[in-house]
Amino acid sequence: MKQKLDSFLGKMEPALLALGFGFLGIYAFQVLAEPEQTLYEATSVAQAAIYLVFLADLVLRVISAGRELTTLQGVLSFLKTNWLAIAAAMLPAFRAFRVFGALLVLRGFAPFFKTRASRVGLVVGVSLPLTLFTASIAILEAERGVAGSNINSFGDAIWWSVASVTTVGYGDRYPVTPDGRLVASLLMVVGIGLFSALTALLAAWVLEGRKLEEDKERSENE
């Protein structure tokens, strides 16, 4: 039973990746296109259906783990292996944390990033662009049309996201709503984490390469 379930979950990975992009695409469409109410509600239903698939994926993973979750070591191992699936299934459900919709896409990429080099690629090539894009959509949704707001177009939102995630903060664009400030706070924390992770991974990569060269030189001298 467990083997069949694990096999099924493995086969679902490409579908989850496509659904993650679909979820984010629908969110972007709702904010940028500002569709009429009927279409907005229809896309919201599709978005909810996609989210339920990710939730079902997490439930199946819990079922697959079975008795392993009855021990502390098993729980910790499950959390270590499936933390991204847990975050993807939990955080986007809360409207205040809609900026974490990017996690649904990252969840689909997870199986393809298992080596150190691929993790660097995950941070640089996937996580950072997704975070910037999703934060831009979220801040635009929160700020557009609000009295006193200076973020009223997607261009403004992108500029604000780049300035915020790098912690530069030029101050020409800033949120004025509670939701916008929440998005800003999350983006700055995520930005610090991403750049810290990137620095650590690159440093480890360089040190590992240097160690391999030293070992090679030592073996040649011997």
Side-chain angles (χ1 to χ4, degrees), residues 148-167:
S149 173
N150 51 72
I151 303 174
N152 291 292
S153 70
F154 187 59
D156 291 340
I158 285 287
W159 171 248
W160 169 84
S161 293
V162 173
S164 297
V165 80
T166 56
T167 67

Side-chain angles (χ1 to χ4, degrees), residues 96-164:
F97 296 114
R98 56 192 174 279
V99 68
F100 286 111
L103 284 170
L104 296 179
V105 179
L106 293 177
R107 165 67 188 85
F109 274 108
F112 306 105
F113 295 96
K114 296 182 178 180
T115 66
R116 180 172 294 151
S118 63
R119 286 197 294 272
V120 173
L122 173 63
V123 172
V124 179
V126 179
S127 300
L128 188 55
L130 276 175
T131 299
L132 288 172
F133 179 76
T134 311
S136 299
I137 297 297
I139 199 71
L140 181 60
E141 181 186 31
E143 296 290 311
R144 183 172 52 196
V146 175
S149 173
N150 51 72
I151 303 174
N152 291 292
S153 70
F154 187 59
D156 291 340
I158 285 287
W159 171 248
W160 169 84
S161 293
V162 173
S164 297

Side-chain angles (χ1 to χ4, degrees), residues 50-201:
I50 292 173
Y51 169 74
L52 288 176
V53 173
F54 281 88
L55 190 59
D57 170 71
L58 178 59
V59 171
L60 290 176
R61 290 181 183 279
V62 171
I63 294 173
S64 177
R67 294 181 180 178
E68 296 175 10
L69 298 179
T70 59
T71 65
L72 178 59
Q73 184 177 355
V75 171
L76 293 176
S77 176
F78 181 83
L79 293 175
K80 181 180 180 181
T81 304
N82 298 285
W83 68 270
L84 188 53
I86 295 170
M90 297 293 112
L91 291 175
F94 301 95
R95 184 171 178 78
F97 296 114
R98 56 192 174 279
V99 68
F100 286 111
L103 284 170
L104 296 179
V105 179
L106 293 177
R107 165 67 188 85
F109 274 108
F112 306 105
F113 295 96
K114 296 182 178 180
T115 66
R116 180 172 294 151
S118 63
R119 286 197 294 272
V120 173
L122 173 63
V123 172
V124 179
V126 179
S127 300
L128 188 55
L130 276 175
T131 299
L132 288 172
F133 179 76
T134 311
S136 299
I137 297 297
I139 199 71
L140 181 60
E141 181 186 31
E143 296 290 311
R144 183 172 52 196
V146 175
S149 173
N150 51 72
I151 303 174
N152 291 292
S153 70
F154 187 59
D156 291 340
I158 285 287
W159 171 248
W160 169 84
S161 293
V162 173
S164 297
V165 80
T166 56
T167 67
V168 172
Y170 283 103
D172 58 339
R173 294 286 182 270
Y174 52 87
V176 298
T177 65
D179 278 359
R181 288 170 179 167
L182 176 60
V183 171
S185 300
L186 294 173
L187 179 61
M188 286 184 279
V189 171
V190 170
I192 292 171
L194 283 174
F195 284 108
S196 298
L198 176 59
T199 301
L201 287 169

